[in-house]
Amino acid sequence: MDYSRRGIEKRRRELHAKMPKLTNMLGAGFYMAAIIVLVAGVLAGAFAGVGIFRGMLATAPDISTIDVRPTGYSSSVYDSEGNQITKLVATNSNRIYQTIDKIPIDMQHAFVAMEDERFYEHNGIDIKGIARAAYIVLSTRDMSQGASTITQQLIKNSVFDKWASGESKFEKIKRKIQEQYLAIQLERQPGMTKDNILELYLNTINLGQNTLGVQAASLRYFGKNASDLDLSEAAVIAAITSNPSRYNPISHPENNTIRRKMVLDKMLEQGYITEQAYSAAIADDPYERIQKVNSQTEQNSINSYFVDAMVQEIMDDFQEKLGYTENQAYNMLYSGGLQIFATQDSSIQKTCDTVTSDPELYPANTEYLLDYRVTGVDKDDNVQNFSSQMMEVYFKDQGRNGYDRLYASEEEARADAEAYKQYIESEGYSVEAETISITPQPQISLTIEDQSTGYVKAVVGGRGKKEASLTLNRATDTVRQPGSTFKIVSTYAPAFDIGAKTLGTVTVDEPFNYANGRPVSNWYSSGYKGPVTLRYAIEQSMNIIAVKTLTDITPQVGFDYLLDFGFTTLVDNEVQSDGTVMSDVQQALALGGITHGVKNYELNAAYATIANGGLYHEPTFYTKILDHDGNVLLDNTGDPGRQVIGEAAAYLCTSAMEDVVTKGTGASVNFGTQKIAGKTGTTTGENDVWFAGYTHYYTCTTWAGYDNNKKMYNKDQQRLARTVWRAVMEPIHEGLPEVDFVKPPDVTTASVCKMTGNLASDFDQAAGTAHSEFYRVDTIPTTVCNGVHSTSYSFVCGVTGQAASETCPYRVAGTPLNAGWCPHSLDATGVQRTDAVPGTATGTTDDAGAAGGGEENGDIGTVDPNVLAALMAQQAAQQAAQQAAQQAVTP
């Protein structure tokens, strides 16, 4: 600074000059303006911030409309004894609500210590935690720090459950502010205590493995209720919640171990546990127990055939009886927290599963059926599906003319699947998806029902490992031809019920044609048995007698009864794609010759109706369903049923079917400790074999056959249905007292002639053709036999033309053309008979018809082709001679 006179004067002039004054004034003005703008901006920002904040709060849900109770619960299924057998769970629904008093205090404290240490002190938000999180955000820009309280997490899981990990920073801040606001509001709600909030939280949180809440997690990881967990196990579960994937104790036990120690450390620091408890928990290894439970859980994760059938029935009932859409029915079933009381008897089901999974039950040389499907995409992104049938065509084109997708081993089947896949790829397709199924053959199915209620007690839908839930269930889904099991329900039961026929009715087994001219064939291949009673026709499963009987009562009557028996797969007038009209109202109905076939459990229900005195109960897989609040949704108890046939007709069928088991085609099922009634069934070509039968206690129907409808080629395969029936029913009845079938009061006995079906005369008593038979009281014959049965022996050997006894496999109905007994007619010692041929057939029809073996599958032995040709020639000659004789006497 110049302090001379000249310097001071210069400075004075500068200060009084106009331009500098103006410049300084402007500078000061701009400065003040800048300050004002800055202040205004800050104020505006503050007001804007307040406005935004108020807007966030204004758009938050109204606390009065919020329901923080968890939704989406797994449904529990209980057997007939009240034991839980499975759970039905949809994604985000595996929750089992547990009240706070049933959640161990150590588990409560574990979550509080780890998730919200000031939970019992704050009013919904943790100011200290927020300050800590804010400091971290400002210093590191890391917004992953939470400070969310348990109350906030409950709000997030219940109200903001659709939040996504891809939220913007603004969206995340907005959600956090709204969570905090609602958390405060929630804790102010009347009656809302800290225990209430903690209970809701512990039933809401995601704890991995598709479990929600501590009860579901406890069952999943440790196989026991939450109330039974110790400190070490509680710490495992509390360690999961911050990242259910990373801290999953099954897939990442090493991560959970670290986090679990943190939980225990915090519990110790906060005074929730003692040093002694801490040390014991640290020393424990809960992960071995978890892995053991997990192994068992994975084995049981696939629903049984019974549960599959029950699920389908419930889905149908929800839609038909409650008016639900399919989607609503599914959500209710898998997410509604239902209590489902199944009809299954777990002891019976276990027996069935054990028996049918034993390889020793099945015939040797099991084959394996390959089902292989591929979805391919070509270079132009065109999608092509390749089916198993297309695979068949491919291998046949390769020269394997008899290819039927059956293999001697699973390895061979997989090798061919791989070969076919390589072929598809060589054609320019990339494989996008493939499914492969290899099942042992022949297959089986069975249903067991309590006939008095209609409750299905056990189901087996196939042999071999079940790979998934809701796969093919051969007991409830598949339709197969019923064969001779239909003779009872389509023909004899209706005939007895309407009073048109009786067990003593005599019908002649002889050549007989359908209305279209096609001959009806007997299963015993050759010959006829002449006049027989219907009892004997049932016992020996005679085809011609059954068709004659149905013809007499009309196929329409039989068809109508079948509908009343509960069959849903029959058709009256069904138009095919080619315009052909199919109808099951025809004579072949007597033998089970129908358009589509029947389902095992429906055939079983029909036989159960007969076992139940003619009273039908629709087969059901559950008794009652309760909603999450314990209200009854559906109730199958107390079903009165419907009377399909009278008690008398049912008893007559039962009595005849007892003979099937004691001396007829079903003798091999008789295990000797119970009265059994039943009927065999075999289709033409041996593609399907059945046995449907019952005791006083249960009705069981078994089926066996190839899934691809291949003929069963040996006796063991052809007897498989009977083998399975006895194998399951014998142990099921172990220890049960033998109970006879009850004869109703309107059934009585009468002495009748076996040859005519009329009341027995004195001649019949003397000749031995009289026998006692059961009748409904209003169907007892009124005509007395006159004693005239026949004038000559009525069975002839088709090879020699001589008289034929029951030991001759070539015996046919007719008059002997040559003297004496044929060489095939043997006495009790096995020597050819030389006694005189009786002039009158006074033997019983049962004895006369005994040839042909005791079983329906052709056990009369193999006939030499040359002998068979000679037999046919003899029969043709006899028919020609009879026609010539008739023409000679015709005027």
Side-chain angles (χ1 to χ4, degrees):
M1 180 68 70
D2 186 359
Y3 291 102
S4 66
R5 182 178 292 178
R6 182 179 295 176
I8 292 172
E9 181 63 24
K10 182 179 179 182
R11 179 62 178 162
R12 185 183 65 80
R13 286 195 300 268
E14 290 174 352
L15 291 173
H16 289 278
K18 291 184 177 180
M19 284 301 296
K21 283 184 178 181
L22 181 59
T23 300
N24 290 336
M25 288 176 66
L26 289 174
F30 280 122
Y31 176 73
M32 290 301 295
I35 292 175
I36 293 170
V37 170
L38 178 61
V39 171
V42 170
L43 290 174
F47 284 123
V50 170
I52 292 173
F53 181 78
R54 289 174 63 86
M56 290 180 179
L57 299 185
T59 58
D62 186 343
I63 191 65
S64 65
T65 64
I66 290 175
D67 187 356
V68 292
R69 291 176 301 177
T71 59
Y73 298 91
S74 61
S75 294
S76 297
V77 181
Y78 304 93
D79 67 11
S80 58
E81 297 298 320
N83 303 305
Q84 182 173 310
I85 54 177
T86 193
K87 289 195 304 181
L88 303 177
V89 183
T91 303
N92 298 325
S93 296
N94 189 11
R95 177 187 290 109
I96 304 170
Y97 199 89
Q98 198 80 328
T99 55
I100 196 70
D101 60 301
K102 294 181 180 179
I103 300 174
I105 195 67
D106 279 341
M107 177 172 281
Q108 298 177 40
H109 290 161
F111 277 93
V112 170
M114 195 66 187
E115 296 297 316
D116 188 0
E117 62 183 274
R118 285 175 286 277
F119 171 70
Y120 292 108
E121 303 167 10
H122 62 63
N123 65 345
I125 62 173
D126 183 1
I127 300 300
K128 290 182 180 180
I130 293 172
R132 174 179 55 81
Y135 173 76
I136 293 174
V137 170
L138 292 174
S139 60
T140 66
R141 296 184 182 275
D142 180 8
M143 296 186 66
S144 63
Q145 297 299 312
S148 288
T149 64
I150 283 176
T151 314
Q152 285 178 246
Q153 291 183 53
L154 175 60
I155 292 291
K156 180 177 74 172
N157 293 333
S158 303
V159 181
F160 300 103
D161 56 333
K162 304 301 182 185
W163 66 276
S165 58
E167 288 177 311
S168 68
K169 290 182 179 180
F170 176 78
E171 290 171 333
K172 188 170 185 177
I173 291 171
K174 177 182 177 181
R175 175 172 57 80
K176 285 286 186 182
I177 290 173
Q178 291 182 338
E179 282 177 11
Q180 292 168 352
Y181 169 70
L182 291 174
I184 295 172
Q185 296 295 313
L186 180 63
E187 295 221 6
R188 291 177 177 173
Q189 292 297 299
M192 184 62 71
T193 67
K194 288 289 186 180
D195 277 353
N196 294 149
I197 292 170
L198 186 59
E199 177 182 307
L200 292 167
Y201 168 77
L202 293 175
N203 281 284
T204 304
I205 47 176
N206 179 3
L207 292 169
Q209 295 295 130
N210 192 32
T211 62
L212 298 173
V214 294
Q215 174 68 0
S218 299
L219 292 170
R220 180 62 181 86
Y221 296 120
F222 294 103
K224 55 186 177 181
N225 293 321
S227 58
D228 297 325
L229 296 191
D230 59 26
L231 172 61
S232 171
E233 294 163 341
V236 168
I237 292 178
I240 300 171
T241 185
S242 65
N243 191 324
S245 177
R246 182 178 180 183
Y247 297 118
N248 186 311
I250 293 174
S251 56
H252 299 292
E254 67 286 354
N255 294 342
N256 186 274
T257 300
I258 297 171
R259 185 81 174 174
R260 169 176 166 271
K261 184 177 183 302
M262 291 176 62
V263 172
L264 294 169
D265 288 344
K266 284 183 174 291
M267 293 183 74
L268 181 63
E269 292 169 6
Q270 296 171 33
Y272 288 122
I273 56 176
T274 64
E275 284 280 0
Q276 184 179 5
Y278 173 83
S279 299
I282 288 292
D284 181 45
D285 179 13
Y287 300 100
E288 182 178 349
R289 302 195 293 275
I290 290 173
Q291 292 301 328
K292 183 177 180 180
V293 170
N294 181 57
S295 176
Q296 295 171 345
T297 301
E298 288 184 342
Q299 291 175 6
N300 298 328
S301 61
I302 296 173
N303 287 339
S304 67
Y305 286 113
F306 183 98
V307 173
D308 282 353
M310 182 199 69
V311 163
Q312 188 57 60
E313 181 184 6
I314 294 172
M315 286 288 291
D316 291 342
D317 286 352
F318 276 166
Q319 295 172 76
E320 295 173 9
K321 297 180 180 180
L322 300 182
Y324 291 177
T325 64
E326 183 176 1
N327 189 56
Q328 289 171 331
Y330 178 89
N331 289 336
M332 177 60 78
L333 181 57
Y334 287 93
S335 304
L338 307 179
Q339 295 181 69
I340 302 169
F341 297 93
T343 59
Q344 182 187 84
D345 184 314
S346 292
S347 176
I348 294 177
Q349 185 68 63
K350 182 178 181 181
T351 297
C352 292
D353 292 340
T354 301
V355 168
T356 57
S357 62
D358 183 1
E360 296 299 318
L361 179 70
Y362 301 98
N365 303 316
T366 291
E367 295 181 281
Y368 296 88
L369 180 66
L370 172 63
D371 184 13
Y372 184 56
R373 306 172 191 179
V374 175
T375 297
V377 179
D378 64 16
K379 59 183 178 59
D380 298 320
D381 291 331
N382 296 312
V383 176
Q384 173 67 53
N385 292 316
F386 296 87
S387 65
S388 293
Q389 289 68 32
M390 294 170 71
M391 181 177 67
E392 277 195 38
V393 173
Y394 166 74
F395 281 119
K396 287 178 180 179
D397 288 344
Q398 302 301 306
R400 294 163 63 173
N401 295 328
Y403 179 72
D404 54 7
R405 296 187 287 122
L406 287 168
Y407 298 84
S409 70
E410 292 187 60
E411 292 72 22
E412 292 179 15
R414 293 188 186 279
D416 263 3
E418 182 61 28
Y420 184 58
K421 178 180 177 180
Q422 292 177 4
Y423 158 72
I424 291 172
E425 291 174 334
S426 71
E427 292 293 303
Y429 291 94
S430 61
V431 174
E432 293 295 306
E434 58 181 327
T435 59
I436 184 170
S437 174
I438 302 173
T439 53
Q441 304 291 325
Q443 270 293 335
I444 62 153
S445 68
L446 72 85
T447 306
I448 297 179
E449 177 184 322
D450 177 349
Q451 57 258 24
S452 66
T453 59
Y455 295 168
V456 177
K457 293 299 178 181
V459 161
V460 175
R463 63 182 282 208
K465 184 179 179 182
K466 193 171 187 288
E467 300 289 350
S469 298
L470 298 175
T471 53
L472 176 66
N473 190 334
R474 296 169 184 83
T476 59
D477 300 336
T478 304
V479 291
R480 302 289 298 217
Q481 294 296 321
S484 293
T485 60
F486 242 38
K487 291 173 180 173
I488 299 295
V489 290
S490 71
T491 300
Y492 294 118
F496 297 158
D497 193 54
I498 64 177
K501 303 288 181 178
T502 69
L503 287 175
T505 298
V506 173
T507 305
V508 179
D509 181 31
E510 60 186 349
F512 186 78
N513 295 342
Y514 291 113
N516 62 8
R518 181 167 61 89
V520 180
S521 300
N522 276 323
W523 59 264
Y524 33 89
S525 302
S526 62
Y528 304 94
K529 296 184 178 182
V532 296
T533 64
L534 293 194
R535 173 183 288 276
Y536 184 71
I538 292 171
E539 173 196 310
Q540 293 298 317
S541 193
M542 300 172 68
N543 291 349
I544 289 174
I545 304 299
V547 175
K548 277 188 168 185
T549 302
L550 182 64
T551 302
D552 288 345
I553 67 171
T554 75
Q556 185 64 58
V557 169
F559 181 85
D560 292 341
Y561 268 90
L562 288 171
L563 296 182
D564 216 16
F565 270 120
F567 291 100
T568 63
T569 56
L570 303 178
V571 299
D572 187 354
N573 288 287
E574 182 178 272
V575 180
Q576 307 295 299
S577 58
D578 61 357
T580 303
V581 178
M582 303 298 294
S583 175
D584 293 330
V585 186
Q586 33 86 19
Q587 292 166 293
L589 188 66
L591 309 182
I594 53 180
T595 306
H596 298 303
V598 299
K599 297 178 179 180
N600 180 309
Y601 85 114
E602 291 187 348
L603 179 62
N604 192 65
Y607 272 77
T609 301
I610 300 172
N612 193 38
L615 184 66
Y616 172 83
H617 289 288
E618 184 175 358
T620 184
F621 294 86
Y622 71 91
T623 58
K624 189 178 293 186
I625 300 176
L626 306 183
D627 67 14
H628 182 60
D629 297 320
N631 302 308
V632 177
L633 283 179
L634 291 170
D635 190 346
N636 281 334
T637 61
D639 171 29
R642 66 169 178 265
Q643 200 73 37
V644 177
I645 58 174
E647 289 186 77
Y651 183 77
L652 297 179
C653 290
T654 296
S655 179
M657 287 192 287
E658 285 187 271
D659 288 353
V660 172
V661 173
T662 56
K663 54 186 176 179
T665 59
S668 62
V669 307
N670 191 359
F671 50 83
T673 64
Q674 294 290 335
K675 300 293 184 182
I676 302 171
K679 183 69 187 72
T680 53
T682 306
T683 60
T684 303
E686 311 285 352
N687 302 105
D688 300 277
V689 293
W690 299 81
F691 189 80
Y694 48 88
T695 65
H696 168 77
Y697 299 98
Y698 303 110
T699 302
C700 176
T701 297
T702 53
W703 164 87
Y706 278 78
D707 282 338
N708 64 346
N709 215 33
K710 176 186 174 181
K711 177 180 178 178
M712 289 187 287
Y713 55 86
N714 64 44
K715 299 298 181 186
D716 288 337
Q717 289 183 338
Q718 294 162 3
R719 296 185 180 119
L720 184 54
R722 282 169 280 164
T723 301
V724 173
W725 196 95
R726 176 170 178 164
V728 297
M729 289 291 272
E730 185 171 7
I732 286 170
H733 287 81
E734 186 174 348
L736 295 176
E738 182 177 9
V739 181
D740 205 348
F741 299 110
V742 179
K743 181 172 70 68
D746 60 341
V747 170
T748 188
T749 57
S751 181
V752 293
C753 172
K754 288 186 177 183
M755 303 302 294
T756 64
N758 294 325
L759 289 173
S761 64
D762 292 341
F763 173 84
D764 291 306
Q765 301 293 344
T769 55
H771 76 125
S772 181
E773 184 57 271
F774 289 116
Y775 288 89
R776 194 174 69 195
V777 292
D778 61 338
T779 61
I780 298 173
T782 56
T783 303
V784 178
C785 176
N786 60 13
V788 179
H789 301 153
S790 175
T791 58
S792 64
Y793 193 76
S794 57
F795 291 97
V796 60
C797 174
V799 175
T800 68
Q802 296 170 293
S805 74
E806 60 268 59
T807 62
C808 176
Y810 316 115
R811 187 172 69 164
V812 296
T815 303
L817 303 177
N818 299 314
W821 294 103
C822 73
H824 318 104
S825 299
L826 309 178
D827 62 20
T829 64
V831 177
Q832 180 181 352
R833 292 179 63 169
T834 58
D835 57 308
V837 177
T840 302
T842 58
T844 69
T845 57
D846 288 8
D847 291 337
E855 296 184 316
E856 187 180 354
N857 59 13
D859 285 356
I860 63 171
T862 302
V863 178
D864 182 271
N866 295 325
V867 176
L868 182 60
L871 170 64
M872 299 304 292
Q874 288 281 350
Q875 290 178 329
Q878 290 175 13
Q879 291 175 354
Q882 290 172 354
Q883 291 175 354
Q886 291 175 351
Q887 292 174 355
V889 298
T890 300

